[in-house]
């Protein structure tokens, strides 16, 4: 997205930001088990679920929005569109 387009898009979208829900990133681990599925009702497909990343910006493991008009956008895309709203005005320039 070009800088001019990004600013216009951001200006329009800033007023529309809403509580975001993300799909958890589930990680099987050798020490894992069924507790995350049983206690926290995580949608585990295996019996060795060891971690549930609730929010991640790690390459290859970016959290994805599961609600609203931003459905399908990942956390890096959101930070690109809403840097000040998500990171704070001072933090996003660092």
């Amino acid at each position: 997205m070009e800088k001019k387009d990004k600013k216009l898009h951001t200006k329009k979208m800033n007023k529309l930001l809403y509580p975001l829900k993300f799909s958890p990133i589930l990680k099987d681990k050798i020490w894992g088990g069924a507790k995350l599925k049983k206690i926290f009702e995580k949608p585990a497909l295996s019996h060795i679920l060891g971690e549930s990343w609730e929010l991640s910006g790690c390459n290859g493991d970016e959290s994805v929005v599961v609600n609203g008009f931003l459905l399908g956008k990942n956390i890096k895309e959101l930070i690109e569109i809403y840097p000040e709203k998500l990171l704070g005005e001072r933090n996003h320039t660092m």
Side-chain angles (χ1 to χ4, degrees):
M1 188 179 300
E2 290 184 33
K3 193 170 188 170
K4 183 180 176 184
D5 293 335
K6 182 181 169 187
K7 283 187 178 185
L8 179 62
H9 183 71
T10 301
K11 188 175 180 179
K12 288 180 181 178
M13 303 295 266
N14 274 342
K15 294 179 183 176
L16 303 174
L17 199 55
Y18 57 95
L20 300 168
K21 294 182 181 182
F22 295 89
S23 179
I25 298 166
L26 305 176
K27 300 285 185 175
D28 289 344
K29 299 293 178 182
I30 194 169
W31 63 81
K35 285 187 178 181
L36 287 173
K37 183 176 183 175
K38 182 178 177 183
I39 296 171
F40 297 105
E41 299 178 0
K42 298 296 175 182
L45 300 176
S46 77
H47 298 290
I48 57 169
L49 179 62
E51 297 176 356
S52 178
W53 297 6
E54 302 307 307
L55 186 62
S56 171
C58 294
N59 289 334
D61 284 314
E62 293 91 358
S63 295
V64 175
V65 176
V66 295
N67 68 322
F69 71 91
L70 293 170
L71 178 75
K73 296 266 187 225
N74 71 43
I75 189 69
K76 289 182 179 180
E77 292 170 317
L78 295 177
I79 290 171
E80 199 174 294
I81 298 168
Y82 302 107
E84 297 91 359
K85 294 283 186 185
L86 295 176
L87 303 175
E89 289 182 22
R90 290 193 296 179
N91 293 326
H92 102 282
T93 58
M94 298 179 130

